[in-house]
Amino acid sequence: VQWIGWAATNIEIDVSGTYIFQVSGVTTYLLDNVRIRGDTYRANVAKFPVYLEAGLHSVIVPVSSYGKSNGSFITTLIKHVSGNIPHIENNDFIVPDIVNGFLASSYIVNGHILVDLFSIIITNGDTMKSIKEWKIDVIVKLTATQNENFSIDLPELERGQSTSVSISIPQEIAKLQFEYCNEQLEIILKKNDYQSNPTKLSLRCRDFDNQSYRYTFLDSDSSVQKAAVMAPQFKNNYGFTSTPFSKGFPIIYTMHGASVEADSDAWTTSSYQFQKYAWILFPSNRGPYGYNWEGPGRVNGLNALKYLCEKLPGVPKLRTDLRADCSRLLVTGHSMGGHGALVFATRYPDITVAAAPASGWIKHDTYPPNVFQRNDFNMIDGKLFGLIESNLLEYAPDFYAANLKGVPFLIRIGSLDNIVPPWHLRRFARLLSTINENIDSVEISEIRDGTHWWWGNVGSDKMSFFFDTHINNPKENRPSLPQHFSIITVNPTSFGSRSGIKPLQQFTYGSASKISVERTSNHIWKLKTHNIRRLGFVSKSLFSVPYKRPSIVIIDDSRFWVTEALEDFNVAHFCRIVGTWQVCFGEDWKAGEKNDVVAGPARQVIQTAPVAVIYGNSDAAFEAAKYVAHELLVQGRFVVTLLDAERAILDGGSAVLGKNLVIIGVESWEKFGVEIKDVVKVPGGIAIGVNVYTEGFGILFLAPIRGGGLAVVVHADLKTLDSVCKLIPTRVVPHIAVPDYIVVHGKRFDSLGLGGVIEAGWWDYKWERQNNS
């Protein structure tokens, strides 16, 4: 049983000044009633500066636990003396490895070496004013006697802000060979006559043939992220490698569990064996806990995969024939990564050759202890409950299971697992066997008296045989396409394709869409659709598969020849505009409608582009904006631009151009190109359709940005603003998953949770209020 409480106290400050305050073991806490991000996982992060006057200050910390275990946290308070000077967090950085003497993430395009990337966390210790016009000097040690150096500008930091800073190593340095394997990087912050003490970073030296290695890449938000790989061991008779495959070596795509570092030897070479005919990729999920391989975690894995296939990081010059094939994956993972394997495989069935989740859970709301966190759902009616639940369905692999019909599947569980009960994967195995109409179609490997983890869980002879059968061999294996199959999704933006068919747009968002496919022997495919407005075939690209296209498709009784143009939905696709299906051309329709890239829900704002948080002219708006920036930093090392509304519109809004926006407490959101027809400002409040909300109410809504991108806007009076900001979708799985918009009553929401939600809903494909809202 879960228990929840508050720990409250006062601290006495003798001398006014700036202090570094940290509370570890909790996600958030209140200091003088201001929300501050905590160090949830006790990783010695989230050390933020605060200004405290001499006297008493209140500290309130939410505490929870389960059963007989103790809820605990640690509070640290340190006097900060550096004034208006930024400082580097010494324990928090991402760097590439050195592989056979060269930086892992250097790669060659048209004969030119492109730069490596690393990132550090920098904090503005001044809580009164921003810092700007600082420089970062970087010294690169190649040997014990040879150094190279370069300099970059430090981005402007708001008062008290911490952020991740991405640093590129110039190509003339990145191409050089390293002979030094300790403290190869020194970072110095400089301005005018001031120079900080150097911060020293060490890069691991790794052997390509015998060790895993880490590479870095830019994620969708332009932050530096990491992944690790183990290269194929294949060699031909001449001692050099070449590929026996038409597109490259397949990939074992494996996802780690909670608290595990993706690039650790314990997770890589100690858990998995090198494969002769396959790469092994270990994406990071943006951190040891990350995002449950959902949302930003799912996107992070795709970007790590794309980088591997396009750039071959760390591969020696003479071995570039070891190219990787992103269209043939064996998807696996342990614990949280077992859930990730279910999420990935059910959304990307075309590129999933086989799947083997281990000790994983199916979905968040059936995984203890999360089943005990839904106590306030009895405070709302069935319709509102359904709207909230529909938003969680996107990451429910059991709902998506039909997409895996015919895909080879193995589950790996321990009979005595009390962390993730084996019931989860047993249930999924039964479900998939039913879909396959074959009780033996899913292989169950259950270890008697096995617990949650044991050495050999993911790398045993059983798993190795499964790998060898489906991917670690010289054949280009791919499961046969069933004669009859279904495509199911509740969000086309997070779904790949099945048999090359990709849903592009729905009629009703937040509801399931389905395509039933019957393949006939004479190259005719019959499609029956539900809640599908546009669909098409994926092009022959990085993630495409060589399924033979039909000559004719019949979609809900409308017959079409599949021309060359229709083999790429970006050129031509099928659309149902006026009741019957027709062929539509080009991508102009995407400018004013939801589409396969931009469609919501609200949490998509942090998944598709760099993020800027813009705040209005109140302390409440600034503190809420800073909390969002720090939340994204701590949870996923996001690079966040934080600035006030007046500066954001300078120079035509150049500082936020190309970014998704989170806009807090700004009256004129339309200045940033935010356009939504059904949210109208009225005297003293906001109207949605015929419903008018004034003082005490607040709204959070998603909207498209003119010219491209997404914005989440929070609008409320000052007393209600922080209440609504708690709903900004930055967390891995928020208690209340916002659809496209939500309206709350501030006081009721703070005390009753869901009982304070007044209205919620979805925009339709035209970004207008949907009838079921």
Side-chain angles (χ1 to χ4, degrees):
V1 177
Q2 182 188 26
W3 61 265
I4 302 173
W6 296 87
T9 189
N10 290 323
I11 57 173
E12 186 170 4
I13 300 298
D14 295 328
V15 179
S16 300
T18 300
Y19 293 80
I20 302 297
F21 205 92
Q22 180 193 48
V23 179
S24 59
V26 298
T27 298
T28 189
Y29 62 94
L30 299 175
L31 177 61
D32 292 335
N33 290 320
V34 174
R35 280 194 307 142
I36 301 177
R37 183 50 158 90
D39 178 15
T40 309
Y41 308 113
R42 306 175 191 265
N44 198 26
V45 295
K47 295 177 284 189
F48 301 126
V50 294
Y51 184 82
L52 299 175
E53 296 280 0
L56 292 177
H57 297 269
S58 66
V59 180
I60 302 175
V61 181
V63 186
S64 66
S65 191
Y66 298 88
K68 298 180 180 179
S69 61
N70 295 321
S72 64
F73 59 91
I74 299 173
T75 302
T76 305
L77 181 66
I78 304 172
K79 185 71 169 70
H80 186 61
V81 295
S82 65
N84 188 231
I85 295 173
H87 64 271
I88 299 172
E89 299 295 345
N90 291 337
N91 67 319
D92 198 358
F93 52 87
I94 292 179
V95 293
D97 282 338
I98 295 171
V99 181
N100 292 6
F102 294 92
L103 288 166
S105 300
S106 296
Y107 55 92
I108 299 175
V109 176
N110 297 327
H112 298 286
I113 295 179
L114 301 186
V115 296
D116 255 76
L117 295 159
F118 68 96
S119 74
I120 56 178
I121 305 297
I122 295 184
T123 298
N124 176 9
D126 194 321
T127 58
M128 301 298 178
K129 56 184 177 180
S130 62
I131 58 172
K132 51 188 174 181
E133 298 177 352
W134 280 77
K135 287 191 174 294
I136 302 174
D137 279 1
V138 181
I139 300 171
V140 183
K141 293 186 176 182
L142 299 167
T143 70
T145 58
Q146 181 187 0
N147 295 342
E148 300 286 343
N149 60 76
F150 64 95
S151 181
I152 67 167
D153 293 328
L154 174 66
E156 183 174 346
L157 294 182
E158 271 289 5
R159 54 192 190 272
Q161 181 190 1
S162 293
T163 190
S164 174
V165 177
S166 303
I167 301 175
S168 300
I169 301 176
Q171 63 174 0
E172 62 269 18
I173 300 175
K175 68 182 180 181
L176 299 175
Q177 187 167 2
F178 283 73
E179 297 177 6
Y180 203 59
C181 289
N182 186 44
E183 296 181 347
Q184 302 96 326
L185 298 177
E186 289 189 3
I187 316 295
I188 298 171
L189 303 179
K190 296 175 66 175
K191 183 177 182 180
N192 300 329
D193 296 330
Y194 175 84
Q195 178 173 304
S196 70
N197 293 325
T199 296
K200 298 181 179 181
L201 310 182
S202 291
L203 281 63
R204 302 185 304 184
C205 290
R206 311 291 276 185
D207 180 75
F208 179 79
D209 291 313
N210 299 302
Q211 292 178 294
S212 64
Y213 61 88
R214 173 178 59 232
Y215 65 87
T216 56
F217 61 95
L218 284 183
D219 215 331
S220 298
D221 66 312
S222 294
S223 67
V224 174
Q225 301 293 336
K226 66 181 181 180
V229 287
M230 292 165 61
Q233 299 293 289
F234 175 81
K235 293 184 180 181
N236 64 21
N237 294 332
Y238 299 99
F240 298 100
T241 56
S242 60
T243 173
F245 307 111
S246 60
K247 291 182 66 174
F249 287 83
I251 302 167
I252 296 174
Y253 181 91
T254 180
M255 289 159 275
H256 63 76
S259 80
V260 176
E261 287 285 359
D263 54 346
S264 67
D265 287 336
W267 174 236
T268 58
T269 49
S270 293
S271 298
Y272 287 88
Q273 303 173 30
F274 279 93
Q275 309 292 305
K276 183 176 181 179
Y277 294 102
W279 284 89
I280 307 179
L281 173 63
F282 306 86
S284 75
N285 191 31
R286 302 187 74 112
Y289 295 89
Y291 293 86
N292 284 344
W293 300 103
E294 302 170 2
R298 174 185 59 83
V299 174
N300 169 264
L302 287 173
N303 285 329
L305 184 65
K306 182 179 180 182
Y307 194 94
L308 171 63
C309 292
E310 289 185 340
K311 315 302 183 188
L312 285 184
V315 177
K317 294 178 182 178
L318 295 178
R319 306 186 66 177
T320 52
D321 281 344
L322 278 178
R323 61 186 186 273
D325 181 1
C326 274
S327 74
R328 284 206 304 140
L329 310 182
L330 190 149
V331 180
T332 184
H334 174 260
S335 191
M336 176 180 71
H339 166 70
L342 297 177
V343 167
F344 191 98
T346 54
R347 277 148 194 76
Y348 302 98
D350 267 355
I351 60 176
T352 300
V353 171
S359 306
W361 40 275
I362 297 177
K363 55 188 175 184
H364 186 264
D365 57 356
T366 58
Y367 172 41
N370 301 314
V371 292
F372 301 112
Q373 295 182 352
R374 302 163 67 82
N375 299 326
D376 58 350
F377 271 74
N378 62 346
M379 305 295 295
I380 57 176
D381 63 24
K383 183 177 180 179
L384 192 53
F385 175 85
L387 284 167
I388 301 297
E389 284 290 283
S390 68
N391 197 15
L392 300 176
L393 200 58
E394 182 179 357
Y395 290 103
D398 49 354
F399 184 78
Y400 278 71
N403 296 323
L404 288 178
K405 183 178 182 180
V407 175
F409 209 88
L410 166 72
I411 68 167
R412 182 86 161 151
I413 51 179
S415 64
L416 298 183
D417 187 346
N418 61 0
I419 305 297
V420 179
W423 169 86
H424 285 266
L425 288 183
R426 289 180 193 149
R427 179 180 183 273
F428 196 86
R430 289 194 296 270
L431 176 60
L432 191 53
S433 296
T434 302
I435 290 167
N436 289 328
E437 299 179 344
N438 181 355
I439 193 66
D440 298 319
S441 62
V442 178
E443 189 173 357
I444 300 175
S445 174
E446 181 166 340
I447 305 305
R448 183 177 181 181
D449 298 331
T451 55
H452 187 57
W453 172 260
W454 65 93
W455 291 109
N457 187 319
V458 294
S460 66
D461 291 344
K462 187 73 173 178
M463 292 288 273
S464 293
F465 181 78
F466 189 76
F467 295 167
D468 292 347
T469 301
H470 298 290
I471 208 165
N472 186 36
N473 60 65
K475 303 175 183 178
E476 298 201 35
N477 294 332
R478 195 177 295 279
S480 300
L481 198 59
Q483 207 70 24
H484 300 265
F485 59 92
S486 297
I487 301 169
I488 294 176
T489 184
V490 293
N491 190 340
T493 67
S494 61
F495 184 82
S497 62
R498 179 64 160 141
S499 68
I501 299 171
K502 181 173 178 59
L504 301 175
Q505 190 182 59
Q506 299 171 285
F507 281 106
T508 303
Y509 280 80
S511 297
S513 293
K514 183 177 180 179
I515 305 172
S516 298
V517 182
E518 177 188 353
R519 299 167 55 239
T520 67
S521 58
N522 53 353
H523 307 296
I524 297 175
W525 290 12
K526 298 178 180 179
L527 280 59
K528 294 294 184 181
T529 70
H530 169 73
N531 194 29
I532 296 285
R533 190 170 186 264
R534 298 179 189 265
L535 63 89
F537 286 105
V538 297
S539 62
K540 297 175 182 178
S541 61
L542 191 67
F543 295 105
S544 68
V545 295
Y547 287 126
K548 183 174 177 57
R549 299 283 189 263
S551 301
I552 296 172
V553 292
I554 302 172
I555 310 176
D556 299 326
D557 300 324
S558 297
R559 187 183 184 96
F560 302 93
W561 285 95
V562 180
T563 63
E564 184 177 349
L566 283 167
E567 292 189 4
D568 181 354
F569 68 80
N570 293 306
V571 177
H573 64 280
F574 304 102
C575 56
R576 195 171 190 171
I577 306 301
V578 288
T580 59
W581 287 96
Q582 63 190 68
V583 176
C584 292
F585 294 90
E587 299 183 271
D588 291 346
W589 63 276
K590 294 184 179 183
E593 298 182 4
K594 289 186 173 184
N595 53 67
D596 58 300
V597 177
V598 174
R603 60 175 173 264
Q604 198 181 46
V605 75
I606 65 170
Q607 298 177 27
T608 59
V611 179
V613 183
I614 301 170
Y615 61 91
N617 59 354
S618 69
D619 289 341
F622 170 69
E623 291 297 339
K626 186 169 66 173
Y627 183 92
V628 170
H630 287 166
E631 168 89 343
L632 291 171
L633 173 68
V634 172
Q635 191 70 34
R637 289 187 67 97
F638 278 78
V639 173
V640 177
T641 301
L642 178 62
L643 69 172
D644 65 73
E646 291 184 4
R647 285 188 299 143
I649 60 175
L650 293 177
D651 301 322
S654 59
V656 297
L657 188 65
K659 293 179 170 64
N660 287 346
L661 307 180
V662 177
I663 302 173
I664 300 174
V666 177
E667 286 293 329
S668 301
W669 61 70
E670 63 276 1
K671 290 182 179 179
F672 301 101
V674 175
E675 297 178 336
I676 199 78
K677 175 182 176 181
D678 289 316
V679 179
V680 180
K681 283 176 282 189
V682 298
I686 288 287
I688 301 178
V690 298
N691 301 322
V692 178
Y693 301 100
T694 55
E695 185 177 357
F697 294 89
I699 180 174
L700 180 153
F701 65 90
L702 178 75
I705 298 173
R706 187 172 55 252
L710 288 170
V712 161
V713 179
V714 176
H715 187 275
D717 59 67
L718 291 181
K719 292 181 179 179
T720 312
L721 187 67
D722 188 61
S723 300
V724 186
C725 285
K726 295 173 185 176
L727 291 165
I728 295 174
T730 56
R731 296 285 302 282
V732 49
V733 180
H735 177 59
I736 300 175
V738 179
D740 284 341
Y741 76 89
I742 193 167
V743 179
V744 301
H745 183 276
K747 287 186 176 180
R748 289 179 60 187
F749 179 71
D750 288 341
S751 59
L752 298 176
L754 277 170
V757 176
I758 307 303
E759 182 180 346
W762 300 86
W763 311 128
D764 67 11
Y765 62 87
K766 296 181 293 185
W767 293 99
E768 297 177 2
R769 187 170 179 265
Q770 223 166 242
N771 291 332
N772 64 347
S773 297

